[in-house]
Amino acid sequence: MTLKHKKPGGKASSAPLMGGKEESTIFEFSSPGRSSATFRETEIPPRNPSQTIPSYYLRDSQLEFPEVSERDLVAHFTRLTHRQFSVDLGAYPLGSCTMKYNPKLADAGSVIPQFANIHPLQPVSTIQGWLELMVTLENYFTEITGMAAATLQPAAGAQGELTGLLIMKAFHEHNKDERKNIIIPDSAHGTNPASVTLSGYTPITVKSNSRGLVDIDALKQLVDKDTAGIMLTNPNTIGLFEEEIVEIAKMVHDVGGLLYYDGANLNAIMGIVRPGDMGFDIVHSNLHKTFATPHGGGGPGSGPVAVSARLAEFLPGPRPTITGRDGTGNPVYGMETPAKSIGRIHSFHGNAMVFVRALAYMMYYGGKGLREVSEIAVLNANWLKKRLSENFPAAHDRVCMHEFVCTAAKLKKDSTVRALDVAKGLLEEGFHSPTVYFPLVVEEALMFEPTETESLQTLESIASAMDKIAEMAKTAEGRGELKSAPKVTPISRLDEARAARNLISTYDASLASTDN
Amino acid sequence: MSGFIPHTPNEVAEMLTFLGIESVDQLFETIPSAIRLSRDSLKLPDSKSEFDVLEELETLAAKNRALGPDFISFAGGGAYDHDIASAIKSLSTRSEFLTAYTPYQPEVAQGVLQALFEYQSLVSRLSGLEISNASLYDGASALVEAINLTVAQSKNGLVWISQGINPAYRQVVNTFANGTGHSIQEIPIRNGSTSWPVENPTLPGTIVIGYPNYLGLLEPMEQIISFAQANDIKLIFAYDPVSMALLRSPGELGADVAIAEGQSFGVGLNFGGPYVGLFSTREKYVRHLPGRLVGETVDSAGQTGYVTTLRTREQDIRREKASSNVCTNQTLIAITTAISMSWLGKSGIQELANRCYSGAEYLKDLLVRIDGVELYSSLPSVREFAVKTKMSSELLVDRMIEEGFLAGVPILEGFESSDVYGSLLVTVTEKRTRAQIDHYASTLERIIR
């Protein structure tokens, strides 16, 4: 290069990536004066805000948003997607998360303009389709769960839990029945105890017995007149059905308590058994698990809550409902708040576009199909559990439901290879890893949930990868590889302790840290 | 097998043989037979093809009256009819973002994690506060979490919340306060501004201010901010993110926590969800932050990478001692807003805010000239304002539907005792043309005459 030229500042957007190089942040592609944004010609005369807004409120300098072309923007975010695993790319046997294939038909349903281009505060006469859809989804959901009425407002499972607990509290308070405690098994999701605290009750832990189930004798000692209720996941987080659920329900009901069903594991039992028939009074479901709505990298979810008849009047409001009939006898829908409602949960009606997807899924399968979903989910889990059992024995060697927990405890003892190393080793083999170190009651836990949408061939290849990992753990070289895995991913094992110690959670903090 | 279940009958048989059982039913024998359903007992319609499902959904959707060229929106109230660039739609629906789970394995989740890091960076610049989490469910839930944080930090459960906060948010705050036991005191609005009871001897630990408030107004704030600071009261700002292109940030004005609804940035109206709650606070509160936080670090080769950090705050580790139960958040929507904010850029966000402001002022001038319409308050507004009309606002909205307009949002519930009750809340986005605004104003004039 002999030509002299002034180099432009900033980063090129078409930087090579496929070699696993870092991707710069969007801010680093900025070039002063550049922009993607375009606007309509509106013919509205521009005004200067300082004409009406006092200087006290007005900012002195412009908001520093990135200055990038649309081409750079698209390139950057597309490259980020190349650094991201997803269900569309491969198996995601993450226990407790039900990462099944998300049908594209639901995507198509969710972009229908007459669903999407609706303001949430439009008068009810203009949202009859939406209200009918919500009522229909509530009805399907209550049928699947065996309950009487439902709310779709909660935006995720944890919000559903808290909603359900507030309904429980309202019920007891209405009966002038002061209660203090909610009983939770030691295998419960962490959201359960956190939700209990936020509901104003005190969580009390009941231990699991040697079979991985609620210890009935221990439960007997805990249940009394202070028991507001019990929260259970059934099948539980170990993937086992709580066989004594009917006895548990009776025990809790006998002292005036209520039963809350954490529906995270509903994928095991659709059309086979219903929480209502087990004796539960309140149920939440995660539409982004059982009903295949895409999880979006961590949301949006949707956590509808269904209740038995005696709790319906406490549901959040306003609720969609049939308020009358038109001249031809067709239902007319409106919104009403139940008499003793706990109040509103969401800014508007909940994660509405998720409802369309979940309803599309339910309509597609119908009642029989949903039962098949659960049957094959359970078959897949049992097959994989047995297939892995030589190297990774199940925590409880019995028939499991839609997921199972196996342990790397022996592997760790024999080879120092931990559950974490197994997880990273599986990433190296091209699969997402199972959930690790949960539930807390199992040492070196590996929690697999294959779901019904993974084929036998996929299960076999996951098992082969696990076999390979077990073999690798037998040699020093293999152990070294596992402990430094993964290498084929866009980035290798990350220093999580450093992230917490030297917190950098924005680009500005990153710049400041580089300056130092 | 049907649908998205890949198993052939032979494969199912092969799997059963491997398990040493004869039928799938045997897998469910741990469920007591008394409660087990017989086959086909769910009373749901029969399965349908994809094409039938979509046709049914389209039929259902056709029962809605959607916004478009023949139904033009002047409604806001926390959800705004903005243009969304094709590039934003294209990127935000990419299946790698759409079908990923929460980034528990960072080595294969750098796409989501880095996009969230950029989102946090943008939200912190908007709010003027150093720490922003990786999103909450919506504006209302962000406010609930903000109050939980400031109550815990101030050790004072009394919260003064302005009636100028979105009435739905206030309802949600009250719902969840039934669990936490916080004492939520609504402070009434008069002539557009909150009548803070600063003479009251019982001081709150938290004050919640709207910026601009739900009525679109910029209330006098200097006094209440000084009052809060002098008495060590935590300040929460509920702000409009688009207006931040014009206004000083909550952080600059003294907020301890700032929350907002992020829908305006590239998220369709979608009948109210999924949207996204923006949440920012000061660095000193980071260990009490609700929800997830993404942090920068390096990998074993020294390359920059991202992880969820300070995880010990979260419910899955801290359990009943966690200050928040949030697990799943609104990641995809957060990423959508990050893409949208980047598309807008430095000049675009200002242009957007200016256009909203100019359109709103243009409409305001037209409306106040109409006999039977008056401005609710003379306080300055940015992109939304309330008018009192001689016809009831609900009836007016109904009548305007026939004329092809969503006229605005009637101000009713949550304002029962207020001088603004019955007014109409009107907004103008960059999408509205002068011709549409002129037509709206002349139609409204004709109808209320």
Side-chain angles (χ1 to χ4, degrees):
Chain A
M1 281 284 272
T2 53
L3 281 174
K4 288 206 187 316
H5 76 301
K6 182 176 171 289
K7 283 195 175 175
K11 297 248 185 184
S13 84
S14 54
L17 167 84
M18 301 316 272
K21 289 270 191 289
E22 304 168 345
E23 171 68 5
S24 302
T25 64
I26 189 71
F27 301 96
E28 294 161 87
F29 296 111
S30 280
S31 184
R34 191 178 280 164
S35 173
S36 310
T38 55
F39 296 90
R40 292 170 191 252
E41 182 44 70
T42 62
E43 295 178 0
I44 294 167
R47 302 202 191 183
N48 189 334
S50 65
Q51 286 175 6
T52 61
I53 302 176
S55 61
Y56 170 80
Y57 301 102
L58 292 172
R59 64 166 52 240
D60 304 324
S61 58
Q62 273 184 279
L63 196 50
E64 290 293 336
F65 274 11
E67 301 186 86
V68 297
S69 67
E70 186 168 305
R71 192 266 172 281
D72 286 0
L73 177 84
V74 170
H76 170 67
F77 282 99
T78 302
R79 283 198 300 270
L80 288 186
T81 66
H82 288 193
R83 297 164 72 79
Q84 179 63 44
F85 193 81
S86 62
V87 168
D88 276 7
L89 201 57
Y92 223 122
L94 199 58
S96 200
C97 303
T98 316
M99 290 301 282
K100 58 172 77 178
Y101 168 67
N102 308 136
K104 300 302 167 192
L105 89 95
D107 293 354
S110 76
V111 295
I112 296 172
Q114 292 95 331
F115 282 133
N117 298 337
I118 305 282
H119 191 286
L121 301 176
Q122 281 184 215
V124 292
S125 65
T126 65
I127 54 171
Q128 290 293 300
W130 259 117
L131 297 177
E132 185 178 340
L133 181 142
M134 290 166 74
V135 168
T136 306
L137 181 60
E138 285 181 4
N139 290 342
Y140 287 13
F141 179 51
T142 52
E143 172 63 16
I144 292 166
T145 53
M147 308 304 285
T151 174
L152 303 175
Q153 281 192 37
Q159 204 178 32
E161 289 174 17
L162 186 45
T163 301
L165 291 167
L166 291 174
I167 290 171
M168 196 183 278
K169 192 174 191 183
F171 170 81
H172 288 311
E173 282 176 358
H174 175 70
N175 294 333
K176 309 221 172 349
D177 191 354
E178 198 168 318
R179 301 206 167 226
K180 297 191 180 111
N181 309 320
I182 303 275
I183 300 170
I184 298 176
D186 53 8
S187 60
H189 298 115
T191 49
N192 290 182
S195 297
V196 170
T197 301
L198 289 168
S199 75
Y201 285 121
T202 303
I204 292 186
T205 304
V206 59
K207 64 184 173 67
S208 304
N209 62 22
S210 59
R211 299 182 71 232
L213 305 175
V214 170
D215 186 323
I216 293 282
D217 293 327
L219 183 63
K220 270 184 197 141
Q221 303 301 311
L222 297 176
V223 172
D224 60 24
K225 62 176 176 35
D226 284 334
T227 305
I230 185 167
M231 286 182 100
L232 289 175
T233 311
N234 195 16
N236 65 23
T237 61
I238 302 172
L240 302 173
F241 194 85
E242 293 286 353
E243 298 164 21
E244 292 171 295
I245 184 60
V246 176
E247 291 75 20
I248 294 173
K250 184 169 185 312
M251 199 187 295
V252 174
H253 282 153
D254 280 351
V255 297
L258 297 175
L259 279 85
Y260 183 97
Y261 182 88
D262 176 336
N265 293 346
L266 194 64
N267 206 45
I269 59 162
M270 284 188 293
I272 292 159
V273 62
R274 308 190 302 173
D277 300 333
M278 296 180 211
F280 284 93
D281 303 281
I282 306 168
V283 176
H284 93 258
S285 166
N286 307 69
L287 298 184
H288 50 286
K289 295 181 180 177
T290 313
F291 301 103
T293 70
H295 199 268
S302 178
V305 171
V307 296
S308 56
R310 61 178 170 156
L311 297 177
E313 61 186 349
F314 300 99
L315 281 170
R319 297 186 61 209
T321 183
I322 296 174
T323 51
R325 301 270 158 187
D326 67 9
T328 54
N330 290 319
V332 174
Y333 294 87
M335 302 287 277
E336 282 175 3
T337 298
K340 303 186 182 85
S341 175
I342 60 164
R344 183 185 274 282
I345 297 297
H346 192 267
S347 299
F348 297 105
H349 314 290
N351 282 342
M353 296 315 289
V354 180
F355 308 161
V356 182
R357 292 172 179 276
L359 183 64
Y361 183 83
M362 291 179 192
M363 288 166 71
Y364 178 81
Y365 272 111
K368 285 184 206 174
L370 290 178
R371 181 175 170 122
E372 269 181 21
V373 163
S374 289
E375 287 177 344
I376 300 301
V378 170
L379 179 65
N380 269 359
N382 277 285
W383 189 93
L384 188 61
K385 175 170 73 73
K386 183 165 183 185
R387 175 67 180 76
L388 296 184
S389 59
E390 283 176 351
N391 293 316
F392 301 93
H396 298 275
D397 187 19
R398 299 206 315 281
V399 171
C400 67
M401 292 282 111
H402 68 305
E403 68 187 4
F404 63 94
V405 180
C406 57
T407 170
K410 184 167 182 300
L411 187 78
K412 185 183 171 192
K413 191 161 155 269
D414 296 346
S415 71
T416 74
V417 169
R418 301 172 297 161
L420 181 74
D421 304 319
V422 175
K424 302 298 183 193
L426 208 50
L427 297 179
E428 194 81 326
E429 298 300 320
F431 296 103
H432 200 279
S433 55
T435 298
V436 289
Y437 302 107
F438 182 82
L440 310 175
V441 292
V442 176
E443 201 186 338
E444 297 295 316
L446 294 160
M447 184 191 212
F448 280 93
E449 181 179 6
T451 84
E452 73 284 357
T453 60
E454 297 309 326
S455 68
L456 177 58
Q457 291 74 13
T458 299
L459 300 188
E460 175 58 35
S461 57
I462 293 172
S464 303
M466 292 292 284
D467 289 343
K468 181 177 167 187
I469 290 166
E471 279 305 308
M472 286 170 77
K474 290 176 183 164
T475 68
E477 189 192 352
R479 288 193 287 275
E481 281 178 37
L482 285 171
K483 284 169 189 262
S484 62
K487 295 289 185 209
V488 298
T489 48
I491 202 152
S492 63
R493 217 179 274 204
L494 287 148
D495 188 345
E496 303 202 18
R498 174 183 162 133
R501 196 173 57 240
N502 177 27
L503 180 69
I504 298 173
S505 70
T506 62
Y507 176 64
D508 292 322
S510 179
L511 282 180
S513 134
T514 316
D515 290 347
N516 289 338
Chain B
M1 290 289 136
S2 61
F4 308 107
I5 301 171
H7 302 52
T8 66
N10 283 343
E11 286 167 348
V12 171
E14 197 181 311
M15 293 172 81
L16 291 172
T17 305
F18 178 71
L19 292 173
I21 55 176
E22 276 154 28
S23 78
V24 174
D25 287 347
Q26 282 175 264
L27 294 171
F28 295 99
E29 282 172 357
T30 55
I31 301 173
S33 56
I35 55 171
R36 226 183 306 154
L37 298 175
S38 59
R39 199 161 278 280
D40 308 337
S41 52
L42 278 190
K43 291 180 194 66
L44 294 182
D46 290 340
S47 64
K48 291 183 184 69
S49 78
E50 161 173 0
F51 312 102
D52 290 312
V53 170
L54 287 175
E55 197 165 288
E56 273 197 37
L57 289 176
E58 278 161 10
T59 306
L60 205 49
K63 296 179 185 175
N64 295 321
R65 175 97 187 259
L67 297 172
D70 62 349
F71 191 35
I72 293 166
S73 176
F74 287 83
Y80 301 89
D81 183 27
H82 290 288
D83 275 319
I84 303 175
S86 307
I88 300 167
K89 293 182 191 169
S90 168
L91 290 171
S92 63
T93 52
R94 283 188 64 97
S95 78
E96 298 89 341
F97 288 142
L98 188 65
T99 72
Y101 199 74
T102 298
Y104 287 136
Q105 295 293 336
E107 296 88 349
V108 293
Q110 287 299 299
V112 163
L113 286 162
Q114 185 171 337
L116 286 175
F117 179 81
E118 294 175 5
Y119 161 85
Q120 291 171 180
S121 306
L122 289 158
V123 174
S124 275
R125 287 187 178 183
L126 266 182
S127 64
L129 291 165
E130 308 92 275
I131 302 292
S132 298
N133 75 8
S135 79
L136 292 166
Y137 309 131
D138 59 1
S141 70
L143 181 54
V144 170
E145 295 287 350
I147 289 172
N148 288 348
L149 187 153
T150 56
V151 166
Q153 291 307 304
S154 65
K155 299 187 174 58
N156 177 346
L158 179 61
V159 178
W160 285 357
I161 183 168
S162 162
Q163 198 179 24
I165 299 298
N166 186 320
Y169 296 13
R170 283 185 274 131
Q171 289 175 358
V172 174
V173 164
N174 282 312
T175 301
F176 288 109
N178 285 331
T180 52
H182 304 336
S183 173
I184 309 296
Q185 192 178 343
E186 285 193 8
I187 312 300
I189 285 267
R190 271 188 218 104
N191 300 321
S193 105
T194 316
S195 326
W196 300 108
V198 290
E199 306 300 322
N200 195 320
T202 311
L203 291 182
T206 300
I207 287 177
V208 186
I209 305 178
Y211 182 58
N213 67 23
Y214 181 72
L215 309 170
L217 304 168
L218 289 165
E219 302 181 29
M221 293 166 72
E222 273 180 282
Q223 273 189 325
I224 190 65
I225 291 171
S226 318
F227 173 79
Q229 288 169 343
N231 293 289
D232 199 22
I233 298 166
K234 310 294 179 209
L235 274 170
I236 298 173
F237 277 49
Y239 66 100
D240 168 46
V242 169
S243 302
M244 291 309 107
L246 306 178
L247 305 181
R248 290 165 73 193
S249 69
E252 193 182 341
L253 291 177
D256 292 286
V257 184
I259 63 100
E261 172 52 65
Q263 177 270 336
S264 283
F265 294 134
V267 183
L269 285 166
N270 294 337
F271 195 51
Y275 290 176
V276 57
L278 316 185
F279 186 104
S280 308
T281 188
R282 298 198 178 275
E283 189 151 21
K284 62 181 171 182
Y285 302 128
V286 70
R287 286 180 193 278
H288 310 279
L289 188 74
R292 298 209 159 86
L293 181 68
V294 173
E296 184 186 299
T297 186
V298 293
D299 75 352
S300 53
Q303 290 202 41
T304 301
Y306 304 90
V307 294
T308 51
T309 193
L310 302 185
R311 295 264 299 121
T312 48
R313 298 167 293 116
E314 290 189 50
Q315 43 74 29
D316 55 330
I317 296 172
R318 208 171 192 85
R319 299 177 77 84
E320 71 272 11
K321 293 190 185 67
S323 58
S324 165
N325 66 340
V326 171
C327 179
T328 286
N329 53 30
Q330 302 283 119
T331 300
L332 183 70
I333 314 301
I335 292 175
T336 305
T337 66
I339 296 167
S340 171
M341 287 186 263
S342 303
W343 181 85
L344 283 167
K346 183 176 177 174
S347 60
I349 180 70
Q350 185 163 22
E351 180 73 23
L352 173 67
N354 271 326
R355 281 170 177 258
C356 293
Y357 169 79
S358 301
E361 291 297 308
Y362 179 79
L363 175 61
K364 200 191 269 181
D365 287 351
L366 290 182
L367 290 182
V368 294
R369 279 187 229 138
I370 298 173
D371 192 22
V373 178
E374 54 181 291
L375 211 53
Y376 159 66
S377 164
S378 59
L379 289 173
S381 65
V382 182
R383 63 155 165 164
E384 197 159 19
F385 59 93
V387 287
K388 290 186 161 292
T389 55
K390 69 176 183 188
M391 176 187 276
S392 109
S393 56
E394 272 187 298
L395 182 59
L396 178 61
V397 167
D398 275 344
R399 295 285 306 279
M400 289 289 278
I401 293 171
E402 298 156 24
E403 306 289 335
F405 291 105
L406 181 59
V409 177
I411 297 172
L412 300 167
E413 217 180 320
F415 293 95
E416 284 81 357
S417 55
S418 166
D419 57 2
V420 75
Y421 184 82
S423 303
L424 182 69
L425 187 62
V426 179
T427 194
V428 178
T429 67
E430 84 291 1
K431 211 168 160 177
R432 298 285 80 89
T433 63
R434 182 174 184 162
Q436 289 172 341
I437 297 174
D438 289 345
H439 186 204
Y440 170 81
S442 61
T443 308
L444 191 140
E445 180 171 20
R446 175 163 52 79
I447 281 180
I448 65 165
R449 195 176 288 151

